[in-house]
Amino acid sequence: MSKSRENNIKRYSLLLFIFVILSILFILPLFKWHYLPFGDDMDFNIDRVLELKYNFMHFNFYPQLSTHTFRMGAYPLNIFYPWFTLIPFAIFEIIIPNHMWGFIIGFAFYAFIGLVISYSVVKKITCNKVQAFFASVCYIFSEYLSLMHLEDLI
């Protein structure tokens, strides 16, 4: 392996590590206050995640009808609302038994993905790594994605 390739791998590994730390900082207030931001649709989205979790636990990986939540009726919710963005939340709900922590880790996951994507896009546009780093950090910690608007990520 060439020296420049080795340096690039080290540099990007360090960048990803910093993004992981920033993702943890993004959700730190939620851990400190044991708080989930309940906005207009958060109850609805929690039920959607729990439905997906129960379906995955019963090996139904293409759920169309909601039969475990929403008053146990066969509600065709996933036909009208996309559920692919809820998959990380459902996986964390399966792995972590505490509902609140599963959601918080899901928010951290999406903060990490947002940092990586915004860094990549700004770097591609500006060809400047420092600018891309600060733009991605400003984007994730902006008021638009503040803790009061986390339910919009789902």
Side-chain angles (χ1 to χ4, degrees):
M1 187 180 302
S2 70
K3 193 72 166 168
S4 65
R5 182 170 169 85
E6 198 172 296
N7 286 339
N8 279 342
I9 290 172
K10 287 180 183 178
R11 195 173 317 131
Y12 283 117
S13 298
L14 177 64
L15 181 67
L16 290 177
F17 178 73
I18 290 170
F19 283 169
V20 167
I21 298 299
L22 289 172
S23 300
I24 292 170
L25 287 175
F26 182 75
I27 61 163
L28 203 58
L30 300 176
F31 272 121
K32 182 180 178 188
W33 295 311
H34 300 288
Y35 168 77
L36 273 179
F38 277 88
D40 298 334
D41 292 337
M42 193 61 168
D43 289 332
F44 173 71
N45 288 320
I46 287 174
D47 284 342
R48 290 177 60 211
V49 169
L50 291 176
E51 182 68 36
L52 200 58
K53 171 190 167 184
Y54 297 139
N55 277 294
F56 284 175
M57 290 174 69
H58 291 99
F59 302 104
N60 179 10
F61 298 110
Y62 190 67
Q64 292 300 308
L65 294 175
S66 297
T67 57
H68 296 90
T69 55
F70 301 103
R71 297 188 183 173
M72 307 288 272
Y75 188 61
L77 182 69
N78 289 329
I79 296 172
F80 305 111
Y81 290 96
W83 52 275
F84 294 113
T85 57
L86 300 177
I87 291 174
F89 290 100
I91 290 171
F92 290 127
E93 282 284 319
I94 291 170
I95 295 171
I96 301 168
N98 186 326
H99 292 302
M100 186 185 77
W101 286 38
F103 271 93
I104 291 173
I105 299 299
F107 290 139
F109 173 76
Y110 274 113
F112 175 76
I113 296 297
L115 282 164
V116 170
I117 290 173
S118 59
Y119 175 84
S120 300
V121 168
V122 174
K123 184 177 171 245
K124 186 79 93 175
I125 292 170
T126 65
C127 297
N128 188 331
K129 295 174 186 174
V130 175
Q131 230 177 7
F133 175 78
F134 285 113
S136 63
V137 171
C138 288
Y139 171 69
I140 288 299
F141 289 99
S142 68
E143 204 277 326
Y144 175 72
L145 290 178
S146 71
L147 298 179
M148 300 309 289
H149 299 289
L150 278 176
E151 75 271 359
D152 295 334
L153 288 175
I154 300 180

